[in-house]
C-alpha cells in the first residue's frame, strides 16, 4: 500500500525557515517524480515544486523560486521541501504527491495518484 | 502560464442527478488535463487523467471528455459521497496549474 506521511509543519515568523519532510512507502520511490502542492486556507490548489526520480532536475512555481528548495533522499525514501524567507502568503497546507511516472518517460510525471495527509504551515508574527 | 477556468464555481444538485463541470484552458493543452475530487479536510483524489482515462478504482459514473481548450467532467448519477469540490489541472507544461475549483453541494 502506498503511503505518504508529511511532517515538519509549524508556526513560523515572517522571514523564517522551515523544512518539510515526506516519508514514502509501498512503492519504488526512486522511480517516480514527486511534487509539493499547497492549499491556502479556504482556497484552491497551487503547485509548488516537482523533482524527478533521480533528483537531478527540479521545477518551481515563480512564487517560491529562490526561496524554496525541493530535494529527495532515495536511500531513505524521503522527500523534502526547504522553505526560507517565509511570507504570510506561504501559509497553507502543504501536500506531497506521487506522480504516475518519472520525468522523461511519459507525460505522467505531472499528475498525481497518491497524496499525503498534508502538513500545516502558518507564517505569522 | 496556462490559466485554467472552471464553471460553475459552485453547483447544487440532488442524488441521482447528472452533473457536468466545465474546464477551459487559456491555450491549447491537447489532452493533458486531469480531474481531482477533494472532500473537506482531506487530500485531493485523482479521478481522471489525460482528459478521459478513469483512474483505477474510480466508479464508472465519472467520465471526462474534451481536448484543446475545452474539457468536461460528468458524473452520471450523483451519489451521496460525490458531494465535494472538483479541480481540473493541466499537465501540458510548467508551471502546472489548477482550476479554481467547483464546489458541488446537496440541493
Amino acid at each position: 500500500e502506498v503511503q505518504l506521511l508529511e511532517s515538519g509543519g509549524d508556526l513560523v515568523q515572517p522571514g523564517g525557515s522551515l523544512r518539510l519532510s515526506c516519508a514514502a512507502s509501498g512503492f519504488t520511490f526512486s522511480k517516480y517524480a514527486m511534487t509539493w502542492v499547497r492549499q491556502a486556507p479556504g482556497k484552491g490548489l497551487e503547485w509548488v515544486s516537482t523533482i524527478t526520480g533521480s533528483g537531478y532536475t527540479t521545477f518551481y512555481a515563480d512564487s517560491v523560486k529562490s526561496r524554496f528548495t525541493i530535494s529527495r533522499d532515495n536511500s531513505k525514501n524521503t522527500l523534502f521541501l526547504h522553505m526560507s524567507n517565509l511570507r504570510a502568503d506561504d501559509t497553507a497546507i502543504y501536500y506531497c504527491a506521487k506522480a504516475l511516472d518519472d520525468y522523461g518517460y511519459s507525460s505522467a510525471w505531472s499528475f498525481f495518484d497518491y497524496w499525503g495527509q498534508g502538513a500545516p504551515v502558518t507564517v505569522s508574527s | 502560464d496556462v490559466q485554467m477556468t472552471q464553471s460553475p464555481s459552485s453547483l447544487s444538485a440532488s442524488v441521482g442527478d447528472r452533473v457536468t463541470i466545465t474546464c477551459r484552458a487559456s491555450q491549447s493543452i491537447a489532452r493533458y488535463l486531469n480531474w481531482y475530487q477533494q472532500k473537506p479536510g482531506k487530500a485531493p483524489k485523482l479521478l481522471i487523467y489525460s482528459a478521459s482515462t478513469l483512474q483505477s478504482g474510480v466508479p464508472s459514473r465519472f467520465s471526462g471528455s474534451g481536448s484543446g481548450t475545452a474539457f468536461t467532467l460528468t458524473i452520471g448519477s450523483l451519489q451521496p459521497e460525490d458531494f465535494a469540490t472538483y479541480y481540473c489541472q493541466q499537465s501540458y507544461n510548467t508551471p502546472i496549474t489548477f482550476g479554481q475549483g467547483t464546489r458541488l453541494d446537496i440541493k
Side-chain angles (χ1 to χ4, degrees), chain A residues 1-4 6 22 24-37 49-51 72 79 95-102 108-116, chain B residues 36 44 46 55 89:
Chain A
E1 179 192 6
V2 172
Q3 290 193 332
L4 299 171
E6 299 100 336
C22 172
S25 60
F27 63 103
T28 305
F29 184 65
S30 62
K31 293 195 173 187
Y32 295 90
M34 296 293 294
T35 287
W36 290 97
V37 173
S49 182
T50 295
I51 188 168
R72 64 193 296 162
L79 174 72
Y95 295 101
C96 67
K98 169 190 167 292
L100 276 77
D101 203 346
D102 196 5
W109 66 275
S110 51
F111 50 95
F112 321 113
D113 57 351
Y114 289 93
W115 298 62
Chain B
Y36 299 85
L46 179 65
Q55 170 67 353
Q89 174 236 327

Side-chain angles (χ1 to χ4, degrees), chain A residues 77-99:
Chain A
N77 291 348
T78 305
L79 174 72
F80 301 101
L81 185 68
H82 301 253
M83 304 184 289
S84 63
N85 194 17
L86 283 160
R87 311 185 302 223
D89 62 359
D90 294 318
T91 295
I93 302 291
Y94 285 73
Y95 295 101
C96 67
K98 169 190 167 292

Side-chain angles (χ1 to χ4, degrees), chain B residues 51-72:
Chain B
S52 61
T53 303
L54 201 64
Q55 170 67 353
S56 175
V58 174
S60 59
R61 64 180 178 273
F62 291 91
S63 63
S65 65
S67 66
T69 62
F71 301 86
T72 60

Side-chain angles (χ1 to χ4, degrees), chain A residues 35 37 39 43-47 50 59-62 95 100 107-118, chain B residues 1 32 34 36 38 41-46 49-50 55 87 89-100:
Chain A
T35 287
V37 173
Q39 187 167 35
K43 302 298 184 182
L45 302 170
E46 180 187 14
W47 171 76
T50 295
F59 304 90
Y60 295 95
D62 284 347
Y95 295 101
L100 276 77
S107 66
W109 66 275
S110 51
F111 50 95
F112 321 113
D113 57 351
Y114 289 93
W115 298 62
Q117 84 289 352
Chain B
D1 299 2
Y32 294 98
N34 316 296
Y36 299 85
Q38 188 180 33
K42 300 294 186 182
K45 172 186 174 182
L46 179 65
Y49 61 90
S50 301
Q55 170 67 353
Y87 294 93
Q89 174 236 327
Q90 65 84 14
S91 48
Y92 179 75
N93 61 11
T94 58
I96 292 165
T97 48
F98 291 87
Q100 82 279 15

Side-chain angles (χ1 to χ4, degrees), chain B residues 17-87:
Chain B
D17 284 353
R18 178 183 177 89
V19 166
T20 297
I21 298 169
T22 297
C23 179
R24 293 190 184 276
S26 61
Q27 65 182 73
S28 177
I29 57 170
R31 293 176 59 81
Y32 294 98
L33 190 283
N34 316 296
W35 290 98
Y36 299 85
Q37 176 194 68
Q38 188 180 33
K39 296 182 179 179
K42 300 294 186 182
K45 172 186 174 182
L46 179 65
L47 298 176
I48 287 170
Y49 61 90
S50 301
S52 61
T53 303
L54 201 64
Q55 170 67 353
S56 175
V58 174
S60 59
R61 64 180 178 273
F62 291 91
S63 63
S65 65
S67 66
T69 62
F71 301 86
T72 60
L73 170 70
T74 299
I75 309 173
S77 176
L78 274 174
Q79 299 300 300
E81 61 268 28
D82 300 337
F83 292 95
T85 299
Y86 292 86
Y87 294 93

